[in-house]
Amino acid sequence: QVQLVESGGGLVQAGGSLRLSCAASGRTLNTYTMGWFRQAPGKEREFVAALRWSGGSTYYADSVKGRFTISRDNAKNTVNLQMNSLNAEDTAVYYCAAGRPIYYYATAGYAYWGQGTQVTVSS
């Protein structure tokens, strides 16, 4: 079992920045892929970014590429999402996930999920 706890969400003006963190416990993450997903009201949950713990490869949705950065802190067993140049379309509940997906962008491949943290961008 892997337990995930997100933090760092909040209200920010358009053009601003936020940093989300996901603290993992329960297992070492060496064989896991960590993902960030988001879900806006009335929409399906969508892929944002992913990081393979072993090797550190990163992947991004086209909508956030160049603005968001996913990173890890090995010592703290934490994965972070730095979000810059935020706009209203980024408003959503952001979820951290862990798993061994075949496709890093598919929610079905992630076995463990956090409770989510709200990000609201005001225009």
Side-chain angles (χ1 to χ4, degrees), residues 6-10 20-21 36 92-96 114-120:
E6 302 101 334
S7 61
L20 305 183
S21 292
W36 283 99
V93 177
Y94 283 70
Y95 296 91
C96 176
Q115 81 287 353
T117 185
Q118 177 70 47
V119 171
T120 303

Side-chain angles (χ1 to χ4, degrees), residues 71-93:
S71 62
R72 65 184 179 185
D73 185 328
N74 289 341
K76 296 181 179 179
N77 227 32
T78 297
V79 62
N80 303 305
L81 186 69
Q82 178 66 41
M83 306 186 295
N84 299 328
S85 301
L86 287 162
N87 57 60
E89 288 69 40
D90 296 317
T91 295
V93 177

Side-chain angles (χ1 to χ4, degrees), residues 9-95:
L11 175 64
V12 64
Q13 289 188 335
S17 299
L18 278 176
R19 183 178 177 86
L20 305 183
S21 292
C22 174
S25 61
R27 283 187 177 180
T28 58
L29 300 175
N30 293 346
T31 62
Y32 284 86
T33 294
M34 303 298 296
W36 283 99
F37 292 78
R38 66 187 182 186
Q39 188 166 18
K43 294 187 177 181
E44 293 187 354
R45 194 169 296 188
E46 66 173 5
F47 169 74
V48 175
L51 178 149
R52 296 195 189 279
W53 202 271
S54 176
S57 297
T58 57
Y59 310 90
Y60 297 93
D62 287 343
S63 60
V64 307
K65 202 171 294 184
R67 301 187 298 123
F68 291 11
T69 302
I70 188 171
S71 62
R72 65 184 179 185
D73 185 328
N74 289 341
K76 296 181 179 179
N77 227 32
T78 297
V79 62
N80 303 305
L81 186 69
Q82 178 66 41
M83 306 186 295
N84 299 328
S85 301
L86 287 162
N87 57 60
E89 288 69 40
D90 296 317
T91 295
V93 177
Y94 283 70
Y95 296 91

